[in-house]
Amino acid sequence: MRLALTAATLRVAVSDPWGERLPVPREECYGRGLLIVASIADRWGVESRTVGKTVFAELALRRGPDAPMGPRELRAGPSHARTAGTVTPR
């Protein structure tokens, strides 16, 4: 697990050696945690590594009561290069 803090973002990343098992949000017995991550993170995704993958979530450090809330971008897709798609803010 790795935490990274910048002036604007907190990034939480978790790596594991199972690159062939990609996480996808779903409402079945497994994968529901990503539904929670997708609902609270401003951005999340999967990055391929030489061995395995890294799943990350980024949270914007909000300034003021008018700052937008909710997800703005969801990354998922083929196993190597991830392409970003957008998610409508709530």
Side-chain angles (χ1 to χ4, degrees):
M1 181 174 171
R2 181 170 187 219
L3 300 175
L5 180 63
T6 68
T9 306
L10 171 64
R11 179 181 169 111
V12 179
V14 178
S15 299
D16 71 51
W18 300 102
E20 69 278 2
R21 300 170 88 187
L22 300 177
V24 291
R26 52 186 169 213
E27 296 181 15
E28 300 166 7
C29 185
Y30 302 101
R32 292 178 294 199
L34 284 179
L35 293 174
I36 296 169
V37 169
S39 70
I40 63 171
D42 292 291
R43 199 167 80 93
W44 76 272
V46 178
E47 298 170 338
S48 295
R49 298 169 45 106
T50 303
V51 175
K53 66 183 175 300
T54 298
V55 179
F56 69 88
E58 293 179 354
L59 300 137
L61 302 179
R62 311 210 189 287
R63 301 189 191 276
D66 296 331
M69 298 292 288
R72 288 191 296 268
E73 184 176 324
L74 172 68
R75 289 178 151 201
S79 61
H80 294 291
R82 303 288 175 208
T83 56
T86 58
V87 173
T88 305
R90 294 180 185 196

